[in-house]
Amino acid sequence: MENIRNKIITISGEPASGKSTVVKEIKSKYEKQGFNVYIISVGDVFRETVKKEYLKRYPDRINVSLADIQNDKEFMAKLQSIDGLIDDEIARKGKEINEKERPNDVYIIDSRLAWSNVPDSYAIRLTVNEAIAGKRVFYDATRGSEDQYETVDEAIQKTRKRKLGEIERYKEKYGINLLDENNYDLVVDTSYTNTQELADIIVSGEEAYRTGKSYPKYWANPTCEER
């Protein structure tokens, strides 16, 4: 059977690298070109998977909310390997997408390990200077209370600690190094790259990847420097 390569973009990124913002911009650019854009996020898959598993055990509780399920400590304790279930579900979605050609559709999968779960995707990793990441977190009033800090230095240190914690967790749990650039088709330093420029880079890169054309793997704004 012919290998089908639909427009599937998997995107992961360091804390405060601008992932959520650029996903919205990519979606907007593709929609302006007439594509149908579907975003699949780990958060959405988590909610779907937890509820599906809950209803398997309690089929009569059809009107239960996610908050109710998560507050059911007995159920959550029995739910083994939720991460594995989520990985399996994302892999299933990737296979389902590529069961046939979908020339009018674009799929953006927001997940740390989606590049591994959907190997035919255009895999992107966003990085950011640690000082800039901390400043973004500190000055972003839309973030939750867990990301509110008294000083910029505190935000920088805590954001760095979060990044290193993620790297260690994935090494221990999956034996995967998130910093290994061989995992990705495109690595972009977003420290000084504006959102529209970044979206253009990704859209152009995906087109080159899918059609077998040469395209740079590494992008960084020339003004980027350590702070």
Side-chain angles (χ1 to χ4, degrees), residues 161-173:
K161 184 177 180 181
R162 178 183 162 196
K163 179 181 80 171
L164 295 177
E166 281 185 355
I167 292 167
E168 274 308 305
R169 187 166 69 253
Y170 279 85
K171 278 183 181 178
E172 291 177 7
K173 190 157 193 172

Side-chain angles (χ1 to χ4, degrees), residues 174-222:
Y174 298 98
I176 286 174
N177 181 4
L178 293 177
L179 297 180
D180 184 352
E181 295 176 346
N182 292 318
N183 297 329
Y184 313 104
D185 301 300
L186 177 69
V187 180
V188 183
D189 184 329
T190 70
S191 301
Y192 295 94
T193 305
N194 67 54
T195 304
Q196 290 188 352
E197 180 183 18
L198 179 52
D200 286 337
I201 290 168
I202 291 171
V203 170
S204 297
E206 188 283 329
E207 176 70 17
Y209 167 81
R210 192 170 38 80
T211 57
K213 297 177 182 177
S214 176
Y215 194 77
K217 177 172 180 174
Y218 302 99
W219 287 83
N221 190 296

Side-chain angles (χ1 to χ4, degrees), residues 123-159:
I124 299 165
R125 171 79 170 167
L126 304 184
T127 66
V128 61
N129 175 280
E130 290 180 354
I132 291 174
K135 291 174 183 177
R136 287 178 180 174
V137 170
F138 183 77
Y139 291 110
D140 185 354
T142 66
R143 290 181 177 266
S145 58
E146 71 279 3
D147 273 335
Q148 300 297 319
Y149 304 103
E150 293 186 3
T151 66
V152 171
D153 284 343
E154 182 188 9
I156 292 171
Q157 294 305 317
K158 291 294 178 65
T159 304

